[in-house]
Amino acid sequence: MDDNFSQLSHTSGRGLVISDNWTGYNLDVFSLPNHYLEDLECVFIPHGVIVDRIERLANDIMKDIGDNQITVLCVLKGGYKFCADLVEQIKNLSRNSERFISMRVDFIRLRSYCNDKSTEDLQIIGGEDLSKLTGKNVLIVEDVIGTGRTMEVLLSHLEKYNPKMVKVASLLVKRSANNKYRPDYIGFEIPNIFVVGYALDYNEHFRDLHHLCIISEKGKEKYKV
């Protein structure tokens, strides 16, 4: 087996686990915007792998909560690409299955990062619409869970509106001693590193990258605020 792929494994409840030794792929083997080449260290997770993993998550969600009406709560901005692809996969499965999920998509924005650091302060933008979640089945779609504090605060906030059920799907979960929270559906468990691309940003840059990449120190310095 290729040594690279031996550092990837699937563990129940943890998604696709990427080891601390994973160094990613060289930039020159993928198509990337020229203006970002000097700002990245490597392609950490290629787009095709992301898409395949999302297809499996959609299957798992269909098995668990099919035959329900679901309000998908997309956490912007970083979660929009993951949410769009996940919803599309669920719709495709639903059309070809005896089980059917009726979905309504709503949006919320959370802000807890300054540069590449998670802060203690959480801003919830768009919360005035959350009263519509009372009595509803809710699937929260998030891009990345770092310390877990942001999601715990959001879940506590949602409890005020008495939803019938709440499930959480996160594309990425960072592996760290400070992160005890585990969502219901996990795309990838990754080391405690800062990644960009696939709508994840660094101060609003890199959202247009197709793949998930590791930002270089030069890139952090170039785009810091």
Side-chain angles (χ1 to χ4, degrees):
M1 179 181 293
D2 190 313
D3 287 342
N4 287 334
F5 287 99
S6 69
Q7 296 174 35
L8 308 179
S9 63
H10 181 269
T11 303
S12 180
R14 295 174 63 188
L16 184 62
V17 178
I18 301 180
S19 78
D20 292 341
N21 299 324
W22 178 247
T23 57
Y25 297 94
N26 291 334
L27 299 175
D28 59 4
V29 298
F30 291 94
S31 178
L32 296 163
N34 289 332
H35 59 280
Y36 283 147
L37 290 179
E38 295 183 354
D39 306 322
L40 302 170
E41 288 186 3
C42 69
V43 172
F44 195 65
I45 306 177
H47 181 259
V49 177
I50 297 170
V51 171
D52 282 358
R53 182 71 188 126
I54 291 174
E55 183 176 355
R56 175 54 190 265
L57 290 179
N59 272 283
D60 292 343
I61 291 169
M62 277 291 294
K63 290 177 182 177
D64 290 347
I65 57 178
D67 296 327
N68 278 292
Q69 291 185 335
I70 302 294
T71 296
V72 178
L73 189 61
C74 175
V75 180
L76 298 173
K77 298 180 183 176
Y80 82 84
K81 181 63 175 169
F82 174 43
C83 183
D85 289 347
L86 180 63
V87 167
E88 187 64 26
Q89 288 286 359
I90 294 173
K91 286 167 57 179
N92 290 339
L93 291 171
S94 185
R95 281 195 293 265
N96 297 292
S97 171
E98 294 181 357
R99 309 187 74 188
F100 180 78
I101 293 183
S102 174
M103 290 181 292
R104 169 182 172 269
V105 181
D106 206 345
F107 302 93
I108 190 171
R109 286 190 64 185
L110 307 177
R111 184 168 295 165
S112 63
Y113 272 87
C114 180
N115 293 323
D116 61 340
K117 304 298 182 184
S118 180
T119 68
E120 295 293 332
D121 298 324
L122 175 67
Q123 293 177 285
I124 301 177
I125 304 169
E128 67 274 7
D129 297 323
L130 296 182
S131 60
K132 298 177 182 178
L133 301 180
T134 301
K136 301 294 179 60
N137 298 308
V138 181
L139 175 66
I140 300 173
V141 180
E142 172 70 293
D143 56 351
V144 56
I145 292 176
T147 65
R149 290 192 296 267
T150 299
M151 185 54 64
E152 288 172 344
V153 171
L154 175 59
L155 291 172
S156 177
H157 186 70
L158 290 182
E159 286 180 3
K160 302 174 184 177
Y161 302 98
N162 297 314
K164 180 179 179 182
M165 175 193 73
V166 179
K167 299 282 188 179
V168 179
S170 183
L171 177 64
L172 305 174
V173 171
K174 291 187 178 181
R175 184 169 54 251
S176 73
N178 295 326
N179 186 7
K180 305 299 183 184
Y181 176 78
R182 284 292 181 270
D184 302 280
Y185 308 101
I186 301 173
F188 304 87
E189 180 185 287
I190 66 172
N192 190 18
I193 56 175
F194 196 85
V195 295
V196 296
Y198 194 69
L200 279 70
D201 76 305
Y202 179 80
N203 295 329
E204 296 301 324
H205 297 277
F206 301 104
R207 292 194 193 276
D208 52 334
L209 279 173
H210 213 39
H211 314 286
L212 280 167
C213 300
I214 296 180
I215 185 174
S216 66
E217 291 302 318
K218 181 177 180 179
K220 291 179 183 179
E221 182 66 23
K222 181 177 178 180
Y223 296 110
K224 75 177 182 179
V225 296

